[in-house]
Amino acid sequence: MRFVSTKGNAKPVLFKQAALNGLAPDGGLYIPGEWPTLSNDFWSNIQGKNLQEIGYSMCRPFIEELNEEVVHTIIKDGINFDAPLVALNENSYVLELFHGPTLAFKDFGARFMARTFSAFREDKGQDLIILAATSGDTGSAVAQGFLGVEGIKVCLLYPSGKVSHIQELQLTTAGQNVTALEVDGTFDDCQRMVKQAFSDDSLNEQLLLSSANSINIARLIPQMFYYTYALSQLAADKEPIFCVPSGNFGNLTAGLMAERLGMPAAGFVAATNANDVIPEYLQTGSFNPRESKQTISNAMDVGRPSNFERMHYLFDGDYKKMRSSIWGADFSDRKTKEAIKKVYEDYGYLMDPHTAIAFLAVEQYKKQAQGYFEEAPSAPFVILSTAHPAKFGDVIEPVINEEVEIPERLSRCLEKKKKSIGLENDYTVLKEWLLQNY
Ligand SMILES: *Cc1c(COP(=O)(O)O)cnc(C)c1O
């Protein structure tokens, strides 16, 4: 099983190389070059299978280089928390992806990645540097996932003043092998600088760099697991519509990948905040990346969604094909707050702002787009809940007029002191900093 570049001008490589390279040498993103079929038996007996069993079966064909035992251990230690499917109302379910250590779905990717990287790292007498841009949740998940892993250093770039208070503390208080660079710019600026670092030959001759953003295929592989796990928790023969709160579209792309492995799905809903580049593309067929806008669902403030490249590839560059699998909608901050309040009042369920956007998209789909996918009218909706509401207390508390209880694993970092290094929004400054400090 080899991975190819979306741009088509790079040598197909095995998983290890794809994961450690991050970006393909031609500037494209790695994607499986073929789709192994999982046995019919796997899909027809999916009900009741647990997350780890599913994880093992889904990732095994992609990772030839590691033996069975190592892959089992990666899954067992990395995916060591649940992703329960909770019924919200008739026909809608919430898939809670926030039961990991940093309370966001990014834990799936980061924990899997940290363990595969440490299995792959050969002692070259040189540290591997994980360079990642974060809009909030990636940073904390990566910091946690790689914390204290020998031979690996983590360098996080985050946009100053544009992540929530708790997110900032989570990503600046890890210490040890983790450094947070506070960039005077937006998330897109951080992402641009990181991408530039990976394609800078002179830098890569001197440092062993790797990425932890969703440009890295190693993050998307474990994200396929929970789509299938949702299915295992639904009644048999139900093909759901998955509704995904999206920014960089790694999460949604992982769903499309699971579908290529044979997972039954009636369709996907791409739900965004005001950063609506992909819903617009689905409507017009024209892709216009632009500056990101700041919203209360800040982890989705992405104006140049990098996984569009993979989506485009998966649908052969044909937006009509993409439309047949994905429906999109975007929502304002005002609507988001209304949804948080409504869901709390009507169902006694508290959603974080990102999840609330997916809820809004389901409601709008039911009103305006029923039948868009050729599903049986009874297709259930699975809303992917990407973060725990306590991470966004500053947004939620004024909306519901109540305090949001903070789980213990989150309150621990609140007692620590922020430690970051300010950085100009300029690639040459980043490069210099990296060369001086690693
Ligand atoms: C990262 C993140 C998203 C967006 O996920 P993508 O894979 O970038 O589309 C949504 N919600 C939360 C809480 C996140 O942390």
Side-chain angles (χ1 to χ4, degrees):
M1 222 321 295
R2 283 173 196 267
F3 292 80
V4 298
S5 163
T6 50
K7 289 211 198 309
N9 293 315
K11 194 167 74 72
V13 294
L14 290 172
F15 179 70
K16 173 179 173 180
Q17 185 109 51
L20 293 178
N21 283 0
L23 206 60
D26 63 355
L29 304 187
Y30 284 113
I31 185 109
E34 59 194 284
W35 299 98
T37 31
L38 302 185
S39 68
N40 279 340
D41 207 43
F42 175 79
W43 294 113
S44 55
N45 292 321
I46 200 73
Q47 259 63 44
K49 279 207 170 72
N50 72 42
L51 182 56
Q52 296 190 342
E53 272 176 86
I54 290 171
Y56 182 80
S57 303
M58 291 187 89
C59 77
R60 188 69 194 116
F62 294 106
I63 314 180
E64 284 175 27
E65 308 95 308
L66 298 175
N67 69 37
E68 196 171 319
E69 200 189 320
V70 174
V71 178
H72 267 299
T73 309
I74 289 171
I75 300 284
K76 192 162 101 344
D77 298 347
I79 314 297
N80 60 349
F81 49 90
D82 200 17
L85 188 70
V86 177
L88 185 67
N89 57 25
E90 54 332 315
N91 231 21
S92 297
Y93 299 82
V94 180
L95 182 66
E96 295 185 343
L97 301 175
F98 52 70
H99 293 274
T102 70
L103 294 89
F105 81 99
K106 303 285 198 309
D107 283 325
F108 282 88
R111 293 177 66 79
F112 178 85
M113 224 178 143
R115 283 159 185 80
T116 47
F117 275 37
S118 101
F120 283 145
R121 209 189 73 87
E122 283 149 25
D123 202 351
K124 292 190 176 136
Q126 192 180 8
D127 283 342
L128 176 65
I129 297 153
I130 306 289
L131 195 58
T134 179
S135 56
D137 292 327
T138 290
S140 48
V142 169
Q144 259 292 322
F146 285 93
L147 190 66
V149 176
E150 201 162 320
I152 297 184
K153 295 266 193 320
V154 175
C155 178
L156 306 169
L157 279 73
Y158 75 98
S160 182
K162 298 190 176 64
V163 301
S164 84
H165 174 62
I166 288 184
Q167 285 174 326
E168 183 168 39
L169 283 177
Q170 280 185 304
L171 61 95
T172 56
T173 58
Q176 297 187 53
N177 55 336
V178 180
T179 306
L181 300 179
E182 183 174 354
V183 176
D184 184 16
T186 63
F187 169 68
D188 288 315
D189 294 324
C190 298
Q191 183 154 266
R192 190 173 328 119
M193 285 159 81
V194 166
K195 273 193 159 183
Q196 220 169 328
F198 288 120
S199 48
D200 180 336
D201 290 338
S202 84
L203 183 67
N204 286 276
E205 273 161 26
Q206 298 173 71
L207 298 176
L208 198 57
L209 292 181
S210 193
S211 87
N213 280 112
S214 55
I215 56 173
N216 198 311
I217 191 70
R219 246 185 66 179
L220 301 200
I221 286 180
Q223 290 183 205
M224 299 188 297
F225 307 166
Y226 50 70
Y227 282 90
T228 304
Y229 185 51
L231 217 62
S232 94
Q233 298 175 75
L234 277 173
D237 302 326
K238 290 276 190 197
E239 282 199 22
I241 295 175
F242 289 101
C243 187
V244 191
S246 296
N248 234 337
F249 281 78
N251 202 2
L252 198 142
T253 300
L256 299 172
M257 287 169 52
E259 196 182 21
R260 301 281 160 133
L261 293 183
M263 181 189 74
F268 294 86
V269 172
T272 72
N273 58 27
N275 295 285
D276 60 349
V277 171
I278 288 193
E280 180 186 280
Y281 171 80
L282 290 164
Q283 291 245 316
T284 65
S286 102
F287 181 64
N288 291 308
R290 46 192 172 248
E291 283 293 303
S292 55
K293 296 182 192 137
Q294 200 175 341
T295 75
I296 58 168
S297 45
N298 66 293
M300 312 199 306
D301 292 350
V302 183
R304 190 172 290 277
S306 57
N307 280 285
F308 175 74
E309 180 121 359
R310 287 195 175 102
M311 296 163 73
H312 190 70
Y313 176 92
L314 286 171
F315 294 105
D316 306 319
D318 180 346
Y319 101 99
K320 294 213 174 71
K321 274 195 200 165
M322 197 189 292
R323 275 175 64 112
S324 68
S325 285
I326 309 175
W327 182 82
D330 61 280
F331 300 92
S332 66
D333 283 352
R334 186 176 57 81
K335 287 268 183 209
T336 308
K337 289 182 189 166
E338 283 170 13
I340 292 171
K341 193 162 160 37
K342 179 180 160 50
V343 171
Y344 190 55
E345 284 171 357
D346 290 359
Y347 312 116
Y349 188 88
L350 195 54
M351 283 179 170
D352 93 288
H354 307 79
T355 310
I357 284 184
F359 170 80
L360 283 164
V362 166
E363 295 300 293
Q364 183 156 328
Y365 179 92
K366 285 181 182 166
K367 271 203 225 112
Q368 291 182 0
Q370 209 51 274
Y372 178 92
F373 300 120
E374 292 168 15
E375 84 274 16
S378 64
F381 292 90
V382 171
I383 293 166
L384 273 62
S385 178
T386 46
H388 191 291
K391 281 191 105 161
F392 302 93
D394 38 0
V395 173
I396 295 174
E397 287 177 356
V399 172
I400 60 165
N401 277 319
E402 271 178 49
E403 246 178 67
V404 180
E405 202 180 317
I406 297 183
E408 209 228 301
R409 60 197 194 285
L410 188 54
S411 58
R412 260 177 264 144
C413 78
L414 302 182
E415 292 148 19
K416 297 189 193 154
K417 205 167 149 6
K418 164 182 162 181
K419 210 171 160 209
S420 71
I421 294 167
L423 199 78
E424 271 172 69
N425 180 5
D426 178 351
Y427 172 66
T428 52
V429 177
L430 171 67
K431 181 173 177 177
E432 208 160 291
W433 188 90
L434 290 171
L435 288 171
Q436 271 175 16
N437 288 276
Y438 293 119

